[in-house]
Amino acid sequence: MARPKKAITKAQINAELERKKQFKPKRTTDHFLSVNAEYTCHSLDEDIITAHRAGKVASGQDVFFGLMDDCLDAARGEYYIHWSDENIKALWESVLYRSLGMLRYTKANSEMLNDELEWICSANFDYVCQCLDLDACSIRIAVPQILQQYNQLNELLVTNKYAKALCEYKHFILNGSNFSSSNSHLYSDLEGPHIPLWHDLKF
C-alpha cells in the first residue's frame, strides 16, 4: 500500500513564495560588467530591494532600476554604476532632495532629523550645493520656515542646537547683510571681514 503524500500547509506555501522573492545567489559566474573598469559595483540595501519588490517607495526614496536592467545583478543584490559627471550630479541632487524631504517627515526629537540638520550645517553641504550651482545660504535660511510649517520649530529651538543655529543664521543674514536670494554669487555677500562663513560659526 502506497504511503499517502504529506500535505503542504499554508504556512509552507507562504514561506516558499517569500523565499522566491529574495535576491539569493544562484550562480557562481560573475556579472558581465564586473570586468569593466568604468563601472563600480554597489551592494543594494535591503530597503531598496524591498521597495523595488513591493513596487512602492518611502518618502524621498526612488527605485532606480528595473528587473531587466543590464546593470542589475539580481542574483547577488548588486548594481553596477558608471559614475559619469551626469550620474554624480544626479546622486547629489537625490541626496539634497531626500535631506530636505526628511525635514517634513521626521519627528522633532528623532536622531534622523538631527543628522539632517547637522549635515545642512556642514561644509559638505556647501560643496554639494556648489556642485549643483545652488546657493547653500538661500537653502539654509529657508529651513526654519520648513520646520515651522510642519510644527516642529518651537520644540527644536529648545532641544536641537543645529535648528537654533539655523534660526540665528537666518536672522543674521536677513538683518545683518545685504543678502540677495540670487543663486549666482554663492556666498559673495558673506566674504567681508566682519561676516563669518557658515562653517566658521560655533555651536
Side-chain angles (χ1 to χ4, degrees), residues 80-141:
Y80 288 82
I81 298 178
H82 178 217
W83 286 113
S84 62
D85 291 343
E86 181 179 350
N87 284 340
I88 292 173
K89 184 175 181 179
L91 172 65
W92 287 137
E93 288 176 344
S94 299
V95 168
L96 181 60
Y97 176 83
R98 180 183 182 279
S99 180
L100 296 177
M102 295 300 291
L103 302 182
R104 294 167 168 81
Y105 301 111
T106 54
K107 295 181 180 179
N109 60 350
S110 70
E111 187 66 26
M112 191 175 295
L113 180 59
N114 183 73
D115 290 343
E116 295 307 319
L117 293 174
E118 181 180 7
W119 181 68
I120 291 172
C121 293
S122 71
N124 182 261
F125 184 81
D126 292 272
Y127 172 77
V128 170
C129 289
Q130 188 173 9
C131 289
L132 298 173
D133 296 322
L134 296 174
D135 184 3
C137 182
S138 296
I139 298 174
R140 283 188 178 114
I141 65 172

Side-chain angles (χ1 to χ4, degrees), residues 4-20:
K5 293 183 178 179
K6 183 179 179 181
I8 300 176
T9 66
K10 185 176 180 180
Q12 289 174 317
I13 294 173
N14 290 337
E16 179 64 16
L17 292 174
E18 186 63 28
R19 184 189 66 79
K20 288 183 178 180

Side-chain angles (χ1 to χ4, degrees), residues 61-80:
Q61 182 186 54
D62 292 321
V63 176
F64 58 89
F65 58 84
L67 284 175
M68 303 306 294
D69 191 329
D70 287 342
C71 296
L72 172 66
D73 186 343
R76 292 188 173 91
E78 297 173 342
Y79 194 83
Y80 288 82

Side-chain angles (χ1 to χ4, degrees), residues 137-155:
C137 182
S138 296
I139 298 174
R140 283 188 178 114
I141 65 172
V143 170
Q145 182 178 348
I146 295 173
L147 296 174
Q148 180 67 51
Q149 183 177 350
Y150 291 87
N151 302 314
Q152 300 188 80
L153 186 58
N154 291 337
E155 181 179 346

